[in-house]
Amino acid sequence: MFYNSQGKFLFQVNGHQAKRMSDNYVSVSDKNRKFKGIVNINGKWIVEPGLYDNVRWVNGDLFCAYKNKKYGVINSVNKIVLPFEYDNITPADNDQFIAYKDGKSGVVNSKNKVVVPFDTVYIANFGALYSVRKYRSDLW
């Protein structure tokens, strides 16, 4: 059950171990402590129970979801933004993501277009810039 800071009852969902994902979203587990789904602050299921194995992060209205041992990005209406083909994904600026695939990292945008090729071992986002270390090289 969820209440606001004035003690007014807001909504309830069936589940266990609620965890805050952002100001607008809460992760809910099942009775075995496995990921169940995501609800918004109005009690509506945004990520329906059982669709994904986990949600790693929330960035605005985008969710990094995990299924079949791969990560992808979905939006708040469950539309796939990035396909489930990555070993890991982290949000960056400008609607871009640092993605990891087959032991290498690269940057893709929200249309899954490659911005920085997947031939790097390290990428850091500095706003409009990326610091990149190339694969098998000491060059940055």
Side-chain angles (χ1 to χ4, degrees), residues 53-98:
D53 299 326
N54 201 356
V55 169
R56 184 171 194 158
W57 50 257
V58 174
N59 185 5
D61 287 330
L62 297 177
F63 305 83
C64 180
Y66 184 73
K67 75 174 183 178
N68 300 325
K69 300 182 181 179
K70 294 292 182 181
Y71 288 96
V73 173
I74 59 171
N75 65 17
S76 61
V77 294
N78 202 31
K79 180 181 176 196
I80 295 175
V81 176
L82 294 182
F84 289 84
E85 61 185 37
Y86 297 103
D87 300 324
N88 196 2
I89 302 171
T90 58
D93 292 333
N94 306 315
D95 289 326
Q96 296 179 345
F97 306 88
I98 300 171

Side-chain angles (χ1 to χ4, degrees), residues 12-27:
Q12 67 183 19
V13 294
N14 186 10
H16 299 268
Q17 291 191 315
K19 177 178 140 187
R20 179 178 181 234
M21 297 295 290
S22 74
D23 287 343
N24 296 318
Y25 301 106
V26 175
S27 173

Side-chain angles (χ1 to χ4, degrees), residues 32-45:
N32 297 318
R33 298 182 183 191
K34 292 184 179 179
F35 176 76
K36 183 173 184 174
I38 302 282
V39 295
N40 68 12
I41 58 173
N42 298 316
K44 179 183 177 215
W45 286 104

Side-chain angles (χ1 to χ4, degrees), residues 89-123:
I89 302 171
T90 58
D93 292 333
N94 306 315
D95 289 326
Q96 296 179 345
F97 306 88
I98 300 171
Y100 304 84
K101 190 176 188 179
D102 301 325
K104 297 176 186 166
S105 55
V107 176
V108 295
N109 65 18
S110 58
K111 302 217 183 302
N112 204 35
K113 180 181 176 194
V114 175
V115 176
V116 175
F118 281 84
D119 63 353
T120 65
V121 292
Y122 178 81
I123 298 177

